[in-house]
């Protein structure tokens, strides 16, 4: 399965995924492309220099929704990444994908979000969790549907919120868990172990 | 601190609280009254026969909001339970308390809810969690404010959701955790170890 990883920043989840692949943890996953919507995304250099991967930049130029996404589509086609052989991993990609793109890559786009969804979707999830005063937060890997962080959930991992936590300290602790569960979810998908039934994601061979 | 426990059903959390008190786990907590809005609530018999407690029934008779709650108020006064010496523990009490009552007993009413709030407030939280397809749920003890399950959070405990879970099996597993954390929260309050700051509930002496 060909992986395209979409980033907008330092790409720490991208790094975790590529490191897990390099270590041989997901033999069915073939990373092909790292794409950023921002030319200054730090992850682009890491992808090229640490992992020898192809990188591409598609700046927005005020293109919205499918206008932008069809350029992503064309780029994926150039790398021969299709809805049948590909998996698109969002790793801090700061654009909402259009319904058209999501339909084309149905159940082939995944995202990681720094909260236990459905709590705290959208931006600044960790800050929202602190402001709400929850005692437990965490992270969620999910398939991407047309909503904002609403798709079927693959894996969740909980993280205690400490009284002394700042947005930074909580984000850091959640991020360490993200780096564990995102590769785990990709492994399950590339090994064809998941079955999606409505909103349920069932893992073959699990209780 | 005088405890009034409000129930509508079998009162399993009531039983857990009263058992913890009997075992000496909360020496500052003095259970005074169990109140039900339904005469058939099974917990009434348990309160009387197992724990020798006073029980009262206030049927709704279509009384709404403060019209009903002022009768609760009068009853509490009869038992000399006040906002300064009392703690009202909702344990499956199936009425939403009025803003007037909540204001009078500000930060003196607590509730337990079978989800990791703010996910799945309201009725059938476990069913909603299953239908959403979350992998982690749990329970929340919180102060009651004027909203539905929106008050400041005291304790949360997470519970994994299993693929094989039914509403019944998930509810049962969460309930076992409820029986642990509800007495724990009451202990913290009766020992005056909590500080409420906005939505934050801080525990003295915790990290």
């Amino acid at each position: 399965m060909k992986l395209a990883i979409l980033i907008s920043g330092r790409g720490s989840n991208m790094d975790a995924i590529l490191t897990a692949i390099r270590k041989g943890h997901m033999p069915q996953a073939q990373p092909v492309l790292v794409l950023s919507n921002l030319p200054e995304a730090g992850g682009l250099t890491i992808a090229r220099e640490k992992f020898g991967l192809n990188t591409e930049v598609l700046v927005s130029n005020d293109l919205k929704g499918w206008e932008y996404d069809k350029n992503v589509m064309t780029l994926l086609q150039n790398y021969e990444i299709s809805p049948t052989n590909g998996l698109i991993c969002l790793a801090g990609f700061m654009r909402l994908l259009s319904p058209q793109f999501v339909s084309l890559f149905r159940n082939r786009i995944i995202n990681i979000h720094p909260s236990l969804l459905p709590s705290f979707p959208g931006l600044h999830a960790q800050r929202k969790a602190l402001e709400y005063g929850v005692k437990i937060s965490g992270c969620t890997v999910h398939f991407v549907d047309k909503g904002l962080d609403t798709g079927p959930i693959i894996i969740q991992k909980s993280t205690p919120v400490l009284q002394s936590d700042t947005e930074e300290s909580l984000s850091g602790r959640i991020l360490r868990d993200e780096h564990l569960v995102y590769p785990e979810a990709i492994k399950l998908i590339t090994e064809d172990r998941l079955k999606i039934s409505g909103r349920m994601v069932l893992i073959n061979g699990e209780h």
Side-chain angles (χ1 to χ4, degrees), chain A residues 88-106:
Chain A
I88 297 170
C89 305
L90 308 184
F93 185 63
M94 300 299 274
R95 288 183 64 97
L96 191 62
L97 293 168
S98 61
Q100 295 93 325
F101 188 87
V102 170
S103 288
L104 276 168
F105 277 87
R106 198 173 127 75

Side-chain angles (χ1 to χ4, degrees), chain A residues 102-143:
Chain A
V102 170
S103 288
L104 276 168
F105 277 87
R106 198 173 127 75
N107 296 339
R108 291 297 192 152
I109 312 171
I110 60 176
N111 183 39
I112 190 154
H113 183 80
S115 77
L116 292 179
L117 291 170
S119 287
F120 315 120
L123 289 176
H124 309 304
Q126 305 94 332
R127 188 191 307 168
K128 288 175 191 162
L130 285 173
E131 287 171 356
Y132 195 95
V134 294
K135 303 296 187 181
I136 296 175
S137 192
C139 61
T140 303
V141 188
H142 63 92
F143 287 104

Side-chain angles (χ1 to χ4, degrees), chain A residues 1 28 108 185-195 202-204:
Chain A
M1 190 172 272
Q28 312 297 326
R108 291 297 192 152
I186 293 170
K187 182 177 164 68
L188 289 170
I189 294 169
T190 57
E191 292 178 352
D192 198 22
R193 287 188 56 200
L194 299 185
K195 188 179 148 206
L202 304 175
I203 304 177
N204 281 342

Side-chain angles (χ1 to χ4, degrees), chain A residues 7-8 36-45 48 56-60:
Chain A
I7 65 172
S8 298
S36 172
N37 63 324
L38 299 176
E40 66 270 25
L44 291 168
T45 313
R48 277 193 307 269
E56 298 278 354
V57 175
L58 272 180
V59 291
S60 298

Side-chain angles (χ1 to χ4, degrees), chain A residues 19-202:
Chain A
T19 300
I21 292 174
R22 177 179 277 178
K23 287 181 178 171
H25 294 177
M26 300 109 96
Q28 312 297 326
Q30 177 198 355
V32 170
L33 170 67
V34 170
L35 167 67
S36 172
N37 63 324
L38 299 176
E40 66 270 25
L44 291 168
T45 313
I46 296 169
R48 277 193 307 269
E49 297 186 359
K50 184 171 171 189
F51 297 100
L53 269 186
N54 292 307
T55 62
E56 298 278 354
V57 175
L58 272 180
V59 291
S60 298
N61 285 329
D62 293 327
L63 293 179
K64 301 218 188 316
W66 175 242
E67 287 184 2
Y68 177 88
D69 291 351
K70 67 184 176 189
N71 295 333
V72 176
M73 192 71 201
T74 303
L75 197 59
L76 294 172
Q77 283 169 343
N78 292 346
Y79 282 89
E80 299 182 332
I81 299 170
S82 75
T84 50
N85 72 8
L87 180 66
I88 297 170
C89 305
L90 308 184
F93 185 63
M94 300 299 274
R95 288 183 64 97
L96 191 62
L97 293 168
S98 61
Q100 295 93 325
F101 188 87
V102 170
S103 288
L104 276 168
F105 277 87
R106 198 173 127 75
N107 296 339
R108 291 297 192 152
I109 312 171
I110 60 176
N111 183 39
I112 190 154
H113 183 80
S115 77
L116 292 179
L117 291 170
S119 287
F120 315 120
L123 289 176
H124 309 304
Q126 305 94 332
R127 188 191 307 168
K128 288 175 191 162
L130 285 173
E131 287 171 356
Y132 195 95
V134 294
K135 303 296 187 181
I136 296 175
S137 192
C139 61
T140 303
V141 188
H142 63 92
F143 287 104
V144 172
D145 66 8
K146 292 165 192 183
L148 177 62
D149 302 323
T150 54
I153 292 173
I154 304 167
I155 300 181
Q156 293 187 301
K157 192 168 189 334
S158 64
T159 308
V161 178
L162 306 180
Q163 298 195 162
S164 54
D165 264 331
T166 59
E167 186 180 354
E168 196 179 12
S169 67
L170 177 61
S171 300
R173 224 161 48 251
I174 292 175
L175 193 60
R176 286 203 291 277
D177 284 338
E178 292 178 44
H179 296 168
L180 299 175
V181 296
Y182 210 169
E184 197 180 326
I186 293 170
K187 182 177 164 68
L188 289 170
I189 294 169
T190 57
E191 292 178 352
D192 198 22
R193 287 188 56 200
L194 299 185
K195 188 179 148 206
I196 307 176
S197 165
R199 292 198 52 83
M200 300 292 152
V201 180
L202 304 175

